[in-house]
Every structure is written in structure tokens, then in C-alpha cells.
Amino acid sequence: MGPSPGVSGEPGGTWALVAAAGTGERLGIDRPKAFASLGGRPLVAESIERLDGCQWVDAIVVAAPAGWEEPTILLVEELAASKVVACVTGGATRAESVRAALAEVSDDAVVVLVHDAARPLVSDEIVERVLEPLAEGVEGVVPALRIADTVKRVDGRVVVETVDRASLVGAQTPQAFVADSLRRAYRGDLADATDCASLVERAGGTVMIVEGDPHLLKVTTSADLALVESWL
Ligand code: CTP
Ligand code: MG
């Protein structure tokens, strides 16, 4: 390995967890979203291959959809993704899937990255960007984008208020954490956690943002899938 940003590269190194266990309800195809075809390959192949090829990543754990562990392992073999050390069965929620993957991370891991398989276009650049601030003592780092639209709080279809957009961002993945801080956060209640950072925040950890990447769009609908495919 070459020189590392932040605290990665130390003994135990940087682990990447790939959350790929969702059903993909809103995509509405005959298989889990992780196995939707993106450029002729399963969507999750993109994240696995990119993280496996990333010099800042030492080991990878994939949380696979229940019943799709075998195809996930075969895919890892096909990709010759040698950094993948485990495929676990995901849980009922994203947080439960991440908890299952986190259980496979070695005790001496220094940093844990958590990434959504639904964001296929992860890059070395964004990984480097989220790792860097960990050296400055923060516990978590999240790539984030400013919100272009005016944001309103609603009650049903009635607008309650217009929220000050200047202080709001949309959070993406990969999110980077000091391994011990993430473990501590995952010992608690996982209810309502739509990302890992929210659990670290709830546990009192400091989380900061770095500039995200529009290409890290989360594939939710078939239109998103087509858009990401056009960016491949
Ligand atoms: N995820 C997971 N385990 C779950 C639910 C979600 O690992 N039980 C992962 C998904 O595979 C995805 C990421 O978390 O990579 C973000 O979730 P989302 O985009 O909501 O995916 P799904 O839950 O699969 O989609 P939907 O909400 O439309 O069913
Ligand atoms: Mg979901």
C-alpha cells in the first residue's frame, strides 16, 4: 500500500462495509436491487470492484440480501475481489444489515467505511475525501450535497413551514468512521436510523461533512438506474 490519508493504513487498517441487502421495493424488479442489471452486471458488482481496487481500503464485508448469499459469493469470485473477507446475510433494515457486517470487522480495524450498494459510482477520490478529516479527531465523515430545491415541512399535503435550506444538506455514502465510535453507536437502539452517521451523532460523536458527488446518486427507481447507467 502507498501512503494513506487520515488514519487508514495502520495495523488493522480500513474496512469497507457494503450494504446490499435491501429488497429494492421502489425499483420493483423480480430480484433484489443489488442484482439489478447495470451495464450488464449486477449493480453491487460496481461497488465491490471499485472498493476492492481502492488503495485506501484493506478489507471488505458485503451484507447480502437473504437468500442471495450464494450469488453474492459467486460474484465476488468472478470479480476476483480479493479484499472481500466475508458475505453476511443482511437484516430487515439497513442498520441491521450494517450491524451484521460490522460483526465481521476485526478488532484491530482503525477505520470503517460504510457504503450503499445502491450508489454504484463510488470513487477513490470520494473515499480519500471522507477519510482525511478522521485524522483531525472527528468520529465520522459524511459526503453531502447542498439542496437545490426549496424545502418545506408538510403535514399531509398542507405546508407547515418553509425550512431554511442554507443549513440543510443531503447525506450520501461512503461514510467513514473511527471503528470504535461506529461499534459503540451500533450497540444502542437502531430504530429510525437511515444512515450510520445518525447513530454516531445520537451517541454523542462528532460527525462532519465533506463535499459529496452528484454521481453518487442513490438508485431508487428505474429512471435512476438508467441515469447511472448513462454515467458508467
Ligand atoms: N439496505 C440493506 N439492508 C436492508 C435495507 C437496505 O443493506 N434491510 C441497503 C440497500 O441494499 C441499499 C442501501 O441500504 O444499498 C440503501 O437502501 P435503499 O436505497 O432504501 O434500498 P432498498 O431498501 O433495497 O430499496 P427500497 O427502500 O426501495 O425497498
Ligand atoms: Mg429502503
Side-chain angles (χ1 to χ4, degrees):
M1 266 183 58
S4 308
V7 289
S8 78
E10 290 169 12
T14 297
W15 287 59
L17 313 183
V18 179
T23 54
E25 201 95 8
R26 290 168 289 181
L27 191 57
I29 57 168
D30 62 351
R31 67 194 73 183
K33 181 156 70 183
F35 284 86
S37 172
L38 181 73
R41 304 195 300 180
L43 179 115
V44 66
E46 209 59 44
S47 294
I48 293 173
E49 188 172 71
R50 286 163 179 254
L51 291 169
D52 192 74
C54 177
Q55 65 173 314
W56 315 120
V57 172
D58 300 307
I60 300 170
V61 181
V62 182
W68 288 76
E69 300 84 352
E70 200 66 35
T72 304
I73 291 164
L74 286 174
L75 178 65
V76 167
E77 283 169 4
E78 216 172 286
L79 295 169
S82 57
K83 293 178 186 171
V84 178
V85 296
C87 287
V88 298
T89 308
T93 63
R94 181 188 188 276
E96 285 169 27
S97 298
V98 172
R99 178 181 270 168
L102 195 55
E104 299 295 322
V105 173
S106 81
D107 290 343
D108 60 354
V110 178
V111 170
V112 178
L113 291 163
V114 186
H115 183 59
D116 291 332
R119 304 179 191 274
L121 300 187
V122 57
S123 63
D124 288 3
E125 195 187 341
I126 196 80
V127 169
E128 187 166 2
R129 207 180 295 164
V130 294
L131 288 176
E132 215 163 67
L134 291 181
E136 295 156 22
V138 300
E139 281 151 273
V141 186
V142 172
L145 290 178
R146 300 278 165 204
I147 297 170
D149 293 325
T150 297
V151 179
K152 299 190 187 292
R153 192 183 314 283
V154 295
D155 180 6
R157 291 177 62 198
V158 178
V159 173
V160 176
E161 63 168 332
T162 298
V163 182
D164 179 20
R165 186 179 63 192
S167 63
L168 295 176
V169 295
Q172 303 180 312
T173 76
Q175 301 183 349
F177 302 94
V178 172
D180 287 338
S181 301
L182 190 65
R183 283 198 194 94
R184 211 173 310 122
Y186 268 84
R187 268 181 223 132
D189 183 14
L190 302 184
D192 304 324
T194 53
D195 73 354
C196 299
S198 62
L199 291 170
V200 175
E201 294 154 27
R202 217 186 281 170
T206 312
V207 176
M208 67 173 279
I209 61 163
V210 293
E211 184 68 20
D213 181 349
H215 290 109
L216 281 171
L217 174 74
K218 188 166 78 165
V219 171
T220 304
T221 64
S222 52
D224 298 332
L225 192 60
L227 187 55
V228 169
E229 191 153 50
S230 77
W231 291 337
L232 266 182

